[in-house]
Amino acid sequence: MSARPSHAARIESSPRLREEWRPIGDFPGYEVSSIGRVRSLSFRNGHAHFDRPSPLILKANFWWRYLQVCLCRDGKVFTRSVHTLVLVAFHGPRPKGREASHLNGDEFDNRYDNLAWMTHRANVALKALHGTRQDCERGSRTVLTREAVVAIRSEYVPGAGPRLARKFGISKSQFFNVLHRRQWAAVL
């Protein structure tokens, strides 16, 4: 299996991308770019506010599959997802009932033309299409397998829930969610 080129390498090798910067509305002194970078234009030293001689590109941190940055306002630190900052700046505020979607499935590719506001259903369908959907067995915190789910549903008799939950190493509430198909609904 060949290694994928890094996001930075793909951005730098693309001749048609031109970086455009826009202010981050809720955070004065910060800007986000069309290729998914965030920069600070000013800083505070005590109560004084200073403009930077040259903008400082912020380091994005990886958290739960997404890149995030820390932004300051009124002496408080806020963490924001880079893809959400790009979407708001280049596509407008999030419409009601919509969520952020990476069109190519690469959660590190925060270019404005790779992001869109979508309904949850459309986003899940898109993830299934490009193979990035976190279904039950591929999830990072998965305890059960498909075979265990089938066994739970076939071995269940009234009153056996707590014993089966212990046997499979899950909580009673998770056990009943699996049993009643609120989790692992796709497994028959």
Side-chain angles (χ1 to χ4, degrees), residues 19 25 29 50 54 77 82 101 106-107 125 129 149 157 178 181 186 188:
E19 193 169 22
F50 300 97
S54 61
V77 177
V82 174
S101 178
D106 182 351
E107 293 151 341
L129 188 66
V149 170
V157 292
V178 170
R181 290 180 163 67
L188 302 174

Side-chain angles (χ1 to χ4, degrees), residues 109-131:
D109 187 355
N110 292 314
R111 292 174 296 124
Y112 81 98
D113 58 348
N114 181 50
L115 299 170
W117 295 118
M118 289 188 164
T119 63
H120 179 69
R121 178 175 289 191
N123 198 14
V124 168
L126 184 63
K127 287 178 181 183
L129 188 66
H130 48 57

Side-chain angles (χ1 to χ4, degrees), residues 13 16 64 76 88 121 184 188:
S13 67
R16 62 183 182 85
W64 193 244
K76 295 179 184 169
V88 170
R121 178 175 289 191
W184 292 83
L188 302 174

Side-chain angles (χ1 to χ4, degrees), residues 99-169:
E99 60 187 39
S101 178
H102 288 83
L103 301 176
N104 67 1
D106 182 351
E107 293 151 341
F108 294 109
D109 187 355
N110 292 314
R111 292 174 296 124
Y112 81 98
D113 58 348
N114 181 50
L115 299 170
W117 295 118
M118 289 188 164
T119 63
H120 179 69
R121 178 175 289 191
N123 198 14
V124 168
L126 184 63
K127 287 178 181 183
L129 188 66
H130 48 57
T132 58
R133 181 174 174 203
Q134 291 285 329
D135 60 9
C136 298
E137 216 162 357
R138 291 185 338 169
S140 62
R141 297 182 290 180
T142 299
V143 174
L144 297 174
T145 62
R146 291 182 184 281
E147 293 76 24
V149 170
V150 170
I152 285 171
R153 291 178 181 153
S154 64
E155 292 178 29
Y156 178 74
V157 292
R163 178 184 59 78
L164 287 172
R166 281 192 304 276
K167 175 181 174 181
F168 289 99

